Amino acid sequence: MKATGIVRRIDDLGRVVIPKEIRRTMRIREGEPLEIFVDREGEVILKKYSPIGELSNFAQEYADALAEETGHAVFIMDRDIIIAVSGIIRKFFLEKRISKDAEKSMDDRRSIVLKDVNANAFCQDCPEKIEDYSLSSCVLSPIIVEGDPIGVVVISNKEKDREIGDLELKLSNTAALFLAKQMEQ
């Protein structure tokens, strides 16, 4: 755990204010849910809650099936990190921060098709050796639950001579819709 040197008091309603600098750094938005944990030493830990993160095993199985059937790399993300990877080396991408393009897809609530991209199209902090990994194109489809974007499904083509088409766009949209339906149950 990293010390910040910031001390806050609990008010009479039991509230603690998380400083703006920490909220900005951790990308915690107003109204965003946080999970509360207590460890054995009595420390209280706040963690950003990821509703799609609860489906991570299911999301991984879905990504595996989609990657196996299409031959493409498949990524499933929550609002902050990649939670499932298939069809490509998992360790380079799993739990890495999502890109600005992935955030834009969620903010705009629409699918985005990108051409002539590398891994940074959907991963902000990919390792240096993977930055040169060439992908011909990818599609990013937002996962929207009850009007709120909670994640993104990415299908990325690994073959230079083939671009993402309507089929991959429909598959990505279907995967996003299916995962959203699972969250609503």
Coordinates of all heavy atoms in Angstrom, one line a residue, residues 66 70 72 138-139 141 155-157 162-174:
L66 N -15.3 -16.9 -28.8 CA -15.3 -15.9 -29.9 C -14.0 -15.9 -30.7 O -14.0 -16.0 -31.9 CB -15.6 -14.6 -29.4 CG -16.2 -13.5 -30.3 CD1 -17.3 -14.0 -31.2 CD2 -16.5 -12.2 -29.6
T70 N -13.6 -17.2 -34.6 CA -13.2 -16.2 -35.6 C -11.8 -16.1 -36.0 O -11.5 -15.6 -37.1 CB -13.6 -14.8 -35.1 OG1 -12.8 -14.5 -33.9 CG2 -15.1 -14.7 -34.7
H72 N -9.7 -14.3 -34.4 CA -9.3 -12.9 -34.1 C -8.9 -12.9 -32.6 O -9.3 -13.7 -31.8 CB -10.4 -11.9 -34.3 CG -10.8 -11.8 -35.7 ND1 -9.9 -11.5 -36.8 CD2 -12.0 -11.8 -36.3 CE1 -10.6 -11.5 -37.9 NE2 -11.9 -11.6 -37.7
C138 N -9.5 -3.1 -35.8 CA -10.3 -3.7 -34.7 C -11.6 -2.9 -34.6 O -11.8 -1.8 -35.1 CB -9.5 -3.5 -33.4 SG -9.1 -1.9 -32.8
V139 N -12.5 -3.5 -33.9 CA -13.8 -2.9 -33.6 C -14.0 -2.9 -32.1 O -13.7 -3.9 -31.4 CB -15.0 -3.6 -34.3 CG1 -15.1 -5.1 -33.9 CG2 -16.3 -2.9 -34.1
S141 N -16.9 -2.2 -29.2 CA -18.3 -2.1 -29.0 C -18.6 -1.9 -27.5 O -18.2 -2.7 -26.7 CB -19.1 -3.3 -29.5 OG -18.9 -3.4 -30.9
I155 N -12.8 -6.8 -30.9 CA -12.4 -7.8 -31.7 C -11.3 -7.2 -32.6 O -11.6 -6.2 -33.3 CB -13.5 -8.4 -32.6 CG1 -14.6 -9.1 -31.6 CG2 -13.0 -9.4 -33.6 CD1 -15.8 -9.6 -32.3
S156 N -10.1 -7.8 -32.7 CA -9.0 -7.3 -33.4 C -8.5 -8.3 -34.4 O -8.2 -9.4 -34.0 CB -7.9 -6.8 -32.4 OG -6.9 -6.3 -33.1
N157 N -8.3 -7.9 -35.6 CA -7.8 -8.8 -36.6 C -6.2 -8.8 -36.6 O -5.6 -7.8 -36.5 CB -8.2 -8.3 -38.0 CG -7.9 -9.3 -39.1 OD1 -7.4 -10.4 -38.8 ND2 -8.2 -8.9 -40.3
R162 N -6.4 -8.7 -44.2 CA -7.9 -8.7 -44.0 C -8.3 -7.7 -43.0 O -7.6 -7.6 -41.9 CB -8.2 -10.1 -43.5 CG -9.5 -10.7 -44.1 CD -9.7 -12.1 -43.6 NE -10.8 -12.0 -42.6 CZ -10.9 -12.8 -41.6 NH1 -10.0 -13.7 -41.4 NH2 -11.9 -12.7 -40.8
E163 N -9.3 -6.9 -43.3 CA -9.7 -5.9 -42.3 C -11.0 -6.3 -41.6 O -11.7 -7.2 -42.1 CB -10.0 -4.6 -43.0 CG -8.7 -3.9 -43.4 CD -9.0 -2.5 -43.9 OE1 -10.1 -2.0 -44.0 OE2 -8.0 -1.8 -44.3
I164 N -11.3 -5.7 -40.5 CA -12.5 -6.0 -39.8 C -13.7 -5.5 -40.7 O -13.7 -4.4 -41.2 CB -12.6 -5.2 -38.4 CG1 -11.5 -5.8 -37.5 CG2 -13.9 -5.2 -37.8 CD1 -11.8 -7.2 -37.0
G165 N -14.7 -6.4 -40.8 CA -15.9 -6.1 -41.6 C -17.1 -6.0 -40.8 O -17.2 -6.0 -39.6
D166 N -18.3 -6.1 -41.5 CA -19.6 -6.1 -40.9 C -19.8 -7.3 -40.0 O -20.5 -7.1 -39.0 CB -20.7 -6.1 -42.0 CG -20.8 -4.7 -42.7 OD1 -20.3 -3.7 -42.1 OD2 -21.3 -4.7 -43.8
L167 N -19.3 -8.4 -40.4 CA -19.5 -9.6 -39.5 C -18.8 -9.4 -38.2 O -19.5 -9.7 -37.1 CB -18.9 -10.9 -40.2 CG -18.9 -12.1 -39.4 CD1 -20.4 -12.5 -39.1 CD2 -18.2 -13.3 -40.0
E168 N -17.6 -8.9 -38.1 CA -16.9 -8.7 -36.8 C -17.6 -7.6 -36.0 O -17.7 -7.7 -34.8 CB -15.4 -8.4 -37.1 CG -14.6 -9.5 -37.5 CD -14.6 -9.7 -39.1 OE1 -15.3 -8.9 -39.8 OE2 -14.0 -10.7 -39.5
L169 N -18.1 -6.6 -36.7 CA -18.9 -5.5 -36.1 C -20.1 -6.1 -35.4 O -20.4 -5.8 -34.2 CB -19.2 -4.4 -37.1 CG -20.1 -3.3 -36.5 CD1 -19.4 -2.5 -35.4 CD2 -20.5 -2.3 -37.7
K170 N -20.8 -6.9 -36.1 CA -22.0 -7.6 -35.6 C -21.7 -8.5 -34.4 O -22.4 -8.6 -33.4 CB -22.8 -8.3 -36.7 CG -23.5 -7.3 -37.6 CD -24.3 -8.0 -38.7 CE -24.9 -6.9 -39.6 NZ -25.6 -7.5 -40.7
L171 N -20.6 -9.3 -34.6 CA -20.2 -10.2 -33.5 C -19.8 -9.4 -32.2 O -20.2 -9.8 -31.1 CB -19.0 -11.1 -33.9 CG -19.4 -12.2 -34.9 CD1 -18.1 -12.8 -35.4 CD2 -20.2 -13.2 -34.2
S172 N -19.1 -8.3 -32.4 CA -18.7 -7.5 -31.3 C -19.9 -6.9 -30.6 O -20.1 -6.9 -29.4 CB -17.8 -6.4 -31.7 OG -17.3 -5.6 -30.7
N173 N -20.9 -6.3 -31.4 CA -22.1 -5.8 -30.8 C -22.9 -6.8 -30.1 O -23.5 -6.6 -29.1 CB -22.9 -5.1 -32.0 CG -22.3 -3.8 -32.4 OD1 -21.6 -3.2 -31.7 ND2 -22.7 -3.4 -33.7
T174 N -23.0 -8.0 -30.7 CA -23.7 -9.1 -30.1 C -23.1 -9.5 -28.8 O -23.8 -9.7 -27.8 CB -23.8 -10.3 -31.0 OG1 -24.4 -9.9 -32.2 CG2 -24.6 -11.5 -30.4

